[in-house]
Amino acid sequence: HVQLVESGGGSVQPGGSLKLSCAVSLNRDSRNCMGWFRQAPGKEREWVAQLHTDYDVAHYADSVKGRFTFYQDNANAMVYLEMNSLKSEDTAMYYCAAAKSRCWVPLTAADFNYWGPGTQVTVS
């Protein structure tokens, strides 16, 4: 049973936009915090953003602040990462993740309990 599934990746020119979606099939206690990470070839997995699902509070990496927006649609069990003003350095595989821990401070990848398979974003 796949619990997180990302979609919406693709190829876009610099300055363009993409909206990533993540379908969430987890009980409430397993998704107190939702996160987006990315990993470029030859690089470590990087934290992009996270969302405290109880209070709808998002935090962003400095590299994406002001360009990316992370929000949830509880009625449809979805979370989204809206990405604008994309740059070549945003090129990576993007992963949706869920944590049982609440996230008032940035969590690390090790804090997340569930991961999706990823969706590729290419900006060129």
Side-chain angles (χ1 to χ4, degrees):
H1 176 61
V2 180
Q3 295 157 318
L4 297 173
V5 180
E6 305 93 338
S7 61
S11 295
V12 65
Q13 292 184 341
S17 299
L18 282 174
K19 180 179 173 180
L20 304 184
S21 303
C22 177
V24 183
S25 301
L26 291 166
N27 62 38
R28 189 65 189 88
D29 286 341
S30 295
R31 51 182 173 85
N32 287 310
C33 183
M34 295 297 300
W36 285 97
F37 287 77
R38 66 187 181 186
Q39 189 166 18
K43 295 189 176 181
E44 292 189 356
R45 190 165 293 195
E46 176 190 15
W47 174 81
V48 175
Q50 65 185 43
L51 180 72
H52 191 306
T53 56
D54 284 343
Y55 294 95
D56 219 10
V57 174
H59 293 93
Y60 300 92
D62 287 343
S63 58
V64 307
K65 200 173 293 182
R67 299 188 298 121
F68 290 13
T69 304
F70 189 2
Y71 59 98
Q72 60 184 336
D73 176 357
N74 287 327
N76 293 301
M78 300 287 293
V79 296
Y80 300 96
L81 186 68
E82 207 162 286
M83 308 186 296
N84 298 310
S85 303
L86 283 162
K87 306 175 182 179
S88 58
E89 50 263 45
D90 295 318
T91 294
M93 184 72 80
Y94 282 71
Y95 298 92
C96 176
K100 298 177 181 179
S101 303
R102 289 174 171 81
C103 51
W104 290 113
V105 296
L107 301 183
T108 67
D111 295 316
F112 285 84
N113 308 100
Y114 305 94
W115 293 84
T119 185
Q120 177 68 38
V121 171
T122 302
V123 184
S124 65

